[in-house]
């Protein structure tokens, strides 16, 4: 009972016992690490040319959504602190004036 099958890789016609179940490649091919064709990786220059970069859309840029999220953590921390201080000054102007006057005195400035 001889059944034959052609290997998809080496194109040899071999007995089905050389194939793993319904595999289309013979055992020799499956166990041998034959380098698969790496055409794309072998020629990076050609790969680049075949996949052109998406053209940058012309026209106005997307408007920046405020300054949120810009800068590193330290910068954002300082900015948040400054913003809170400004809000605090606006919320309590009298207290701020008093504190500022005291601070100016410490610095030797005239109130
Ligand atoms: Zn084979």
């Amino acid at each position: 009972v001889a059944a034959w099958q052609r290997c998809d890789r080496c194109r040899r016609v071999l007995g089905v016992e050389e194939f793993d179940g319904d595999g289309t490649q013979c055992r020799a091919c499956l166990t041998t690490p034959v380098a698969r064709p790496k055409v794309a990786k072998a020629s990076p220059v050609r790969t680049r040319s075949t996949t052109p970069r998406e053209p940058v859309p012309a026209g106005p840029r997307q408007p920046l959504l405020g300054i949120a999220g810009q800068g590193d953590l330290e910068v954002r921390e300082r900015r948040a602190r400054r913003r809170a201080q400004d809000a605090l000054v606006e919320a309590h102007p009298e207290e701020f004036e008093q504190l500022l006057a005291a601070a100016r005195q410490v610095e030797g400035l005239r109130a």
Side-chain angles (χ1 to χ4, degrees):
V1 186
W4 302 93
Q5 187 175 341
R6 186 189 289 273
C7 173
D8 271 359
R9 200 195 288 190
C10 65
R11 314 306 298 170
R12 281 184 300 171
V13 177
L14 299 157
V16 287
E17 67 271 11
E18 288 296 323
F19 291 84
D20 201 7
D22 291 332
T24 54
Q25 294 180 7
C26 68
R27 286 185 202 281
C29 286
L30 287 174
T31 54
T32 308
V34 178
R36 291 168 187 243
K38 293 178 181 174
V39 180
K41 274 192 177 176
S43 55
V45 176
R46 188 167 54 161
T47 308
R48 205 175 297 159
S49 68
T50 52
T51 54
R53 256 178 217 176
E54 236 174 74
V56 177
R61 287 187 51 171
Q62 289 272 340
L64 291 172
L65 302 174
I67 55 174
Q70 288 189 10
D72 58 23
L73 277 177
E74 203 181 325
V75 171
R76 279 185 272 170
E77 186 66 48
R78 274 204 300 270
R79 199 159 49 214
R81 206 173 171 78
R82 205 157 51 225
R83 192 172 302 155
Q85 284 173 344
D86 287 349
L88 189 64
V89 169
E90 272 187 45
H92 305 280
E94 292 91 6
E95 286 91 335
F96 176 73
E97 282 303 320
Q98 290 170 9
L99 288 168
L100 181 62
R104 286 171 68 90
Q105 246 177 5
V106 170
E107 292 288 339
L109 297 164
R110 294 190 183 273

